[in-house]
Amino acid sequence: MELKEKLISSFMAFEERVDVNDSLHDVRINAMKNFETNGFPTKKEENWKYTSLNSVLKNDFSVFPKNENTIQYSDVKKYYLHEIDTYKVVFVDGVFSSFLSSTTHDGIDVCLMASALTKPKYKMIIDTYFNQIAQKDDSLTSLNTAFAMEGAYINIPKNKVADKPIEIINFSTGTEAALLVQPRNLIIVGENSHVQIIERHQSLNSNPVLTNSVTEIFAAKRAIVDYYKIQNDNIEASLIDNTYIAQKQQSNVSVHTFSFGGNITRNNLNFYHQGEHIESTLKGITILEGKQHVDHHTLVQHATPNCESHQNYKTILGESSTGVFNGKIFVEKEAQKTDAFQQNNNILLSDKATINAKPQLEIFADDVKCSHGCTIGQLDETAMFYMQSRGIPKKEAKALLMYAFSNDVIQSIKIPELKARITKIIATKLGVNMGFDL
């Protein structure tokens, strides 16, 4: 049975597990109809022109995990930030792990989607926000919506500064021959509030896993959100990450995406402006080798005046790896005084590496400052020669140039301990010890 048909038949079993009278029943039904109509995206679609899921979809994925995981803290502690205390929300094979998660959250609401859906305290909030900005016509988002039950629900109350970062970690144990997991996160940041969130998907085994994740983030007036995605998974793991962000006036949201591991990774990052004087920041570092494939699709929809967006993506491709960057800035007629910047820089370390870059601007306002740029090249041989002539070995000289290439993105990380962790991962990817402190 093909995966699409398997999912359609599994949806009936899923519906029997949940209360068919719950408020999301109709939403799930309509979402499943959309997926049934459109199926998995193919390269015939413009937005998927350079990314094929065929090699992933041939696996016989289990839709419902057996929940036989027995992992211990010692098995996964290296994936946590240990230098600082954090709030942890941990899922194992798509199922919440109370043993690995934090038990207290000091004045902020952190719980499970499944739990929030059943509590009157949260039900009205969920009904208001759930699936409000997710693209209804995207088949993979619809698939996630149809099976939405487990995931993180985070609500930062008005005038609250979260005193610790929040880590959302999804582990896959590999006990299934192949597993499809579909986490759903809903994050609401109240007026004048501030939160830092780190998200990670990590396989603990070499069995294939496909994660189809959807995250909706709502930033109220003057809210500040710093969101970090660490994508450094095993080579048999593939990730489709759909993130939708709605911002009210004077809010500031930044998303950093660090793509280092995995088989096929597709990042769909969408910002929607719903007020004036908004700031949106999208930054990323991608370092690939082998036959890895990472596809960044970004959208910033400027719909209101006096707003800013800044995009900066750095990509380093080695061996036969492939990178895709499709960044779209859409400026509506009402969005006067928009300041939108987009930059995508790429280094190819091999003749077999491939980059497909497509920066886009669609501007319907006449008083704006918008720019985009894209560069594709190799390491500077003159700089390499200069460093080697000063006694720096070729391998270290090459690594230093690549680190310098990505450094402006690294320096914008606002959590020092995370900055040190990312630097260590980059050093490992480059095969050197940086030999200096941040």
Side-chain angles (χ1 to χ4, degrees):
M1 183 186 298
E2 291 187 1
L3 183 57
K4 178 183 175 181
E5 283 68 32
K6 184 176 184 178
L7 287 165
I8 293 172
S9 61
S10 298
F11 178 69
M12 303 303 177
F14 173 79
E15 278 283 272
E16 293 179 0
R17 294 186 176 195
V18 299
D19 182 3
V20 295
N21 294 316
D22 75 349
S23 58
L24 298 182
H25 174 68
D26 291 341
V27 174
R28 291 193 182 101
I29 291 293
N30 291 331
M32 197 63 208
K33 288 179 179 177
N34 183 59
F35 174 75
E36 188 173 359
T37 299
N38 297 303
F40 287 98
T42 69
K43 296 182 73 173
K44 293 181 180 180
E45 301 175 32
E46 182 63 27
N47 284 339
W48 288 82
K49 182 177 180 180
Y50 302 110
T51 300
S52 172
L53 297 177
N54 290 341
S55 62
V56 177
L57 299 180
K58 67 181 181 181
N59 293 293
D60 184 20
F61 288 107
S62 297
V63 179
F64 302 123
K66 297 177 181 177
N67 298 336
E68 296 177 352
N69 60 80
T70 57
I71 64 172
Q72 302 298 318
Y73 175 74
S74 58
D75 300 324
V76 298
K77 65 179 182 179
K78 64 181 180 180
Y79 301 112
Y80 297 160
L81 283 181
H82 294 288
E83 299 83 357
I84 56 172
D85 190 15
T86 62
Y87 298 120
K88 299 174 181 64
V89 186
V90 181
F91 300 88
V92 179
D93 291 338
V95 179
F96 177 68
S97 172
S98 58
F99 171 69
L100 298 174
S101 301
S102 302
T103 56
T104 58
H105 303 101
D106 190 30
I108 61 178
D109 288 329
V110 179
C111 67
L112 301 184
M113 283 288 295
S115 176
L117 288 169
T118 61
K119 294 182 178 179
K121 176 182 177 181
Y122 301 122
K123 188 177 184 302
M124 185 173 67
I125 299 175
I126 297 292
D127 291 348
T128 301
Y129 288 98
F130 183 86
N131 214 43
Q132 292 303 303
I133 53 174
Q135 293 181 9
K136 309 300 191 300
D137 59 346
D138 182 87
S139 62
L140 293 174
T141 298
S142 293
L143 178 63
N144 179 285
T145 300
F147 286 93
M149 194 65 185
E150 201 73 286
Y153 168 75
I154 299 171
N155 191 343
I156 311 299
K158 182 178 179 179
N159 300 321
K160 175 69 176 180
V161 176
D163 60 334
K164 296 184 288 188
I166 300 173
E167 291 187 86
I168 304 174
I169 308 178
N170 294 270
F171 291 115
S172 299
T173 63
T175 53
E176 309 275 352
L179 180 64
L180 170 65
V181 291
Q182 303 195 76
R184 181 70 173 236
N185 303 316
L186 177 59
I187 300 166
I188 304 168
V189 185
E191 186 176 331
N192 300 317
S193 297
H194 183 192
V195 66
Q196 296 174 321
I197 299 175
I198 303 162
E199 177 189 312
R200 181 164 190 160
H201 302 271
Q202 187 64 50
S203 300
L204 305 176
N205 193 288
S206 59
N207 284 339
V209 59
L210 173 60
T211 300
N212 178 36
S213 175
V214 174
T215 299
E216 291 182 282
I217 301 173
F218 294 84
K221 292 190 296 183
R222 295 180 295 278
I224 301 175
V225 182
D226 297 318
Y227 206 96
Y228 302 92
K229 297 175 180 289
I230 303 177
Q231 300 170 348
N232 190 31
D233 214 337
N234 295 336
I235 195 59
E236 293 299 326
S238 294
L239 170 66
I240 300 166
D241 188 289
N242 303 283
T243 301
Y244 303 94
I245 301 168
Q247 292 184 248
K248 297 297 185 181
Q249 57 264 40
Q250 296 179 281
S251 61
N252 188 325
V253 177
S254 65
V255 177
H256 288 67
T257 305
F258 303 102
S259 303
F260 305 127
N263 176 22
I264 294 176
T265 301
R266 166 72 177 229
N267 290 300
N268 298 317
L269 181 56
N270 306 274
F271 280 73
Y272 304 99
H273 288 184
Q274 300 176 353
E276 295 191 39
H277 303 288
I278 288 170
E279 290 187 30
S280 302
T281 302
L282 303 77
K283 295 189 176 185
I285 299 175
T286 301
I287 304 178
L288 305 180
E289 58 190 357
K291 295 183 178 181
Q292 289 179 294
H293 180 103
V294 170
D295 184 344
H296 294 290
H297 260 65
T298 68
L299 167 67
V300 181
Q301 186 176 46
H302 286 270
T304 50
N306 302 302
C307 295
E308 300 181 17
S309 65
H310 304 274
Q311 299 186 53
N312 190 6
Y313 280 78
K314 306 283 190 174
T315 303
I316 300 173
L317 302 174
E319 299 177 350
S320 298
S321 60
T322 304
V324 181
F325 176 78
N326 192 133
K328 184 176 182 179
I329 298 173
F330 188 91
V331 184
E332 296 186 11
K333 185 177 180 179
E334 295 79 10
Q336 305 294 341
K337 303 294 184 182
T338 288
D339 184 353
F341 169 82
Q342 181 189 93
Q343 185 67 35
N344 172 229
N345 302 112
N346 307 277
I347 291 179
L348 303 182
L349 303 178
S350 165
D351 293 337
K352 296 181 180 180
T354 303
I355 181 70
N356 298 286
K358 186 181 178 184
Q360 296 176 269
L361 288 176
E362 290 191 31
I363 304 172
F364 297 93
D366 53 18
D367 185 8
V368 301
K369 184 170 66 174
C370 299
S371 63
H372 64 184
C374 176
T375 63
I376 301 172
Q378 298 176 321
L379 290 176
D380 188 337
E381 292 295 335
T382 302
M384 286 281 293
F385 176 78
Y386 175 82
M387 296 175 72
Q388 288 179 266
S389 68
R390 295 301 186 271
I392 301 176
K394 183 177 181 179
K395 183 179 180 180
E396 281 71 18
K398 184 177 179 182
L400 284 171
L401 287 176
M402 289 189 286
Y403 182 82
F405 170 76
S406 57
N407 188 52
D408 54 344
V409 175
I410 297 172
Q411 291 304 314
S412 65
I413 301 174
K414 296 178 182 178
I415 304 175
E417 295 80 6
L418 179 61
K419 184 187 294 185
R421 175 68 64 91
I422 294 299
T423 300
K424 184 177 180 180
I425 293 175
I426 291 176
T428 301
K429 290 287 290 185
L430 301 179
V432 297
N433 183 352
M434 290 300 181
F436 56 83
D437 295 325
L438 292 168

